[in-house]
Amino acid sequence: MTHWLDKVTFHHGPRGLLSDFCLMAAERAAELGITLSLETDFDRLSRFNKTQSDNWGPLFPAFYGAEQAFWICGTDAEGEIVTTAATRLYRLGKTPLSDKFHDLSVMYPSGSDTRPAEEMFDGLCLAADYIAGDVALHGAMWSHPRYRLKGLSDFMVRLTYALALGCWNVDYAFGLAKETLPEPVLKRYGMRNRHGGVTWQEPYFPTWGNMQLVWNDRVSMIDDIDVWVSAQEFRRVPAPAPAPVNVFPYSGDERQPLSDQVSAAE
């Protein structure tokens, strides 16, 4: 089988660490019977998303038409999609991320020009004024209900980090999570910073109305991946075999249990 990483060349960051992580993540997926692939056809992802409307909200429009974007597809033994995660790149330069929210270009290529006048984002934190440079948006994280609580969240979002770091050399990564998603879950995704109270007043995505902004800088992402890899390496090390226990220890050359010797001496 051709490995999905054959499509990827890392030019940036700690390339050895990122490659090791991606291989380990693929191994973890294989343990669950899942094969990973790297995809760029967002029409396919959109069509699939619509078939899962009972357990998955609509995709962010930010992923449609993005020039630099990809998604990770996980399929089971029957070839059915059972998990996804996506990312896209914004080259902001000195423009802060908050500006992209205010003019709606974080979601739409044409910004607010074609959007209802009442549509807006509100409740952003001060940090969004200082997130700039090359920035990746992460989203479309989904797993089939029968694969939830199996550890997929440990590595699927981190895979988008690793690829964004190694391919795009991003300064930051951010996402928008539902307000109800608790902090322990976000930490499992590798998100170290969060700010709740973000609202998106948009008529077509009511399920995403109340959100929290989550983000990491480059150093945090590298450290998070390093910690994950170290934990997996520890997980791979087999536990040492217990030392053999001689139930009947012998004394000297006598082939008689020590307990019997004690009894005989008495």
Side-chain angles (χ1 to χ4, degrees), residues 175-190:
L176 290 165
K178 290 185 177 181
E179 184 73 59
T180 55
L181 205 61
E183 186 172 3
V185 174
L186 293 174
K187 287 183 176 180
R188 288 184 69 86
Y189 290 171

Side-chain angles (χ1 to χ4, degrees), residues 12 67-68 88-95 100 132-136 164 167-171:
H12 310 285
E67 293 183 2
Q68 292 179 284
R88 64 153 294 176
L89 177 66
Y90 300 93
R91 296 201 183 277
L92 301 182
K94 295 182 179 180
T95 301
K100 302 289 284 185
D134 291 339
V135 180
C167 297
W168 299 332
N169 199 28
V170 296
D171 300 294

Side-chain angles (χ1 to χ4, degrees), residues 104-203:
L104 301 181
S105 60
V106 71
M107 287 293 170
Y108 312 104
S110 59
S112 59
D113 292 347
T114 59
R115 306 305 303 165
E118 65 274 13
E119 182 173 352
M120 67 178 68
F121 282 94
D122 196 16
L124 294 172
C125 57
L126 184 62
D129 291 336
Y130 294 90
I131 296 174
D134 291 339
V135 180
L137 166 67
H138 300 291
M141 174 61 197
W142 172 85
S143 296
H144 191 281
R146 72 174 181 273
Y147 282 94
R148 293 173 186 173
L149 302 179
K150 293 183 180 293
L152 283 170
S153 61
D154 278 357
F155 58 85
M156 284 297 289
V157 174
R158 288 183 174 91
L159 274 172
T160 63
Y161 293 169
L163 292 164
L165 285 165
C167 297
W168 299 332
N169 199 28
V170 296
D171 300 294
Y172 295 92
F174 78 98
L176 290 165
K178 290 185 177 181
E179 184 73 59
T180 55
L181 205 61
E183 186 172 3
V185 174
L186 293 174
K187 287 183 176 180
R188 288 184 69 86
Y189 290 171
M191 291 292 187
R192 296 192 177 185
N193 304 289
R194 61 192 288 263
H195 172 76
V198 177
T199 59
W200 181 13
Q201 297 179 30
E202 205 286 334

